[in-house]
Amino acid sequence: MNTIHWSVEKNVDNLDRYPQIVEAAQYLSDDQVVAFPTETVYGLGANAYSDKAVAQIFAAKGRPADNPLIVHIAEYQQLEKLVIEVSEQAKLLIKAFWPGPLTLIFPRKPGILSELVTAGLDTVAIRMPSHPIALALIRTSGLPIAAPSANRSGKPSPTTAQHVEQDLSGKIAGIVDGGAAGVGLESTVLDCTGQKPVILRPGDITKEEMEVVLSNKMSLASNVLGKSESPRAPGMKYKHYSPNAPLYLVDGESTWIQSLIKEKREQGVKVGVLASTETKIAYDADLVLDCGSRKNLAAVARQLYDNLRKFDQTGVDLIFAEVFPKSGVGVAIMNRLEKAAGHHWIFQKDQS
Ligand code: TXA
Ligand code: MG
């Protein structure tokens, strides 16, 4: 399949009538799959009503069929058609954070969406993205759009159209290239169908921000806390975001990290390091990537997946990743890094 590349400038007026958007939306209406930028990462979109369209998402990504998809909408009215009920808590969160990087789980109306989208669950995950291109594309297609991240299953989510091409070129109808995505990590996923809201996946909208809106404490799902292997978001059980080389989280001073690097390199191992701007000069390794300043975790989030992909391209044998503070978006950064590491840590205090 020849994958069409549509370049779109996100700040132009009247994106809904932009010829590239109109053409890409037509492909979606014709049950083809199209990748597009959102304010988190690039998504791989398909008509959420159509089995034929949604099946192509799973085929192109190599995604397990039991992992449900997020449905993307552009208008509040679309939500009412798809769900049985919008709880008071959900209404408050929608008012505060939509459009934006927050996915909410709702009880779904049966018989409306393709069953492939929800993978047999009686709930559906829905979000309204804030990226102007995503909104224009959804509005113009007139459809709810099922869209996982536009990577091959198991790879880091794509934050640029080039990442999508690396993974899916020839397997999908087209890519709308709107430049770099925003946040760089996937949306926060929140289940507020029960008494107490539970964060199934941390993201840019933080626990603290949502607690302010709900005046209610919420909890992190046990898998997010690293305590359980049976997560409530089915996707969280799969090994994700993995670079080809094994990745270890190293918790200690940079002089100690450098001693680990030296030891490995003396054994002939090619070592990559994911460092911060503040500490990168401390390392002598085969590839040292600067993921941004510890004082600007938003920048670290934006660059994380691109850096994980760079390690693959350079072909290092082993990656040491520094630990970032678990505050604000740092919770999401560390959640993704822990998954990339398969929860492998090395602590300085264990070795001294
Ligand atoms: O930022 C994002 O959310 C991106 C962009 C493209 O919107 N999308 C994304 O989709 O990250 P995906 O498929 O890579 O991740 C969706 C997550 C998975 O962990 C999945 O298991 C969970 O949401 N999920 C989907 N439907 C669910 C449901 N009904 N109940 C619980 N978890 C659900
Ligand atoms: Mg994904």
Side-chain angles (χ1 to χ4, degrees), residues 25-101:
Q26 187 59 49
Y27 274 81
L28 288 170
S29 309
D30 291 343
D31 288 349
Q32 306 263 6
V33 290
V34 168
F36 60 95
T38 82
E39 77 283 17
T40 57
V41 300
Y42 271 71
L44 181 61
N47 173 2
Y49 294 134
S50 159
D51 287 345
K52 180 183 165 221
V54 175
Q56 290 171 62
I57 291 182
F58 286 89
K61 281 183 60 89
R63 182 177 175 108
D66 66 350
N67 190 2
L69 307 177
I70 298 173
V71 176
H72 295 62
I73 59 174
E75 272 138 26
Y76 191 77
Q77 292 84 303
Q78 289 182 285
L79 179 65
E80 291 161 350
K81 288 189 201 147
L82 305 176
V83 308
I84 293 177
E85 193 202 356
V86 182
S87 68
E88 287 310 311
Q89 290 188 330
K91 280 184 190 149
L92 290 170
L93 292 166
I94 287 170
K95 194 156 173 258
F97 300 114
W98 278 13

Side-chain angles (χ1 to χ4, degrees), residues 3 14 18 39 144 167 183 220 261 270 280 304 323-324 341:
T3 300
N14 218 340
Y18 210 69
E39 77 283 17
D167 281 14
V183 175
L220 284 161
I261 297 167
K270 272 177 88 180
K280 65 177 178 197
L304 180 65
V323 174
F324 289 88

Side-chain angles (χ1 to χ4, degrees), residues 332-344:
I333 292 170
M334 286 310 298
N335 169 262
R336 307 312 193 268
L337 269 176
E338 285 186 13
K339 286 167 147 290
H343 300 277
H344 290 119

Side-chain angles (χ1 to χ4, degrees), residues 38 40-43 63 67-70 72 103 105 121 123-125 127 147-149 186-187 189 200-201 232-236:
T38 82
T40 57
V41 300
Y42 271 71
R63 182 177 175 108
N67 190 2
L69 307 177
I70 298 173
H72 295 62
T103 297
I105 310 289
L121 299 175
T123 54
V124 57
R127 87 177 189 97
S149 49
E186 308 83 350
S187 61
V189 179
L200 305 184
R201 180 174 73 183
R232 279 167 60 183
M236 301 300 272

Side-chain angles (χ1 to χ4, degrees), residues 134-165:
L135 287 173
L137 189 63
I138 300 165
R139 253 193 323 259
T140 308
S141 74
L143 296 164
I145 299 296
S149 49
N151 49 288
R152 283 285 295 171
S153 210
K155 287 284 152 200
S157 292
T159 54
T160 64
Q162 290 67 42
H163 294 163
V164 181
E165 270 162 12

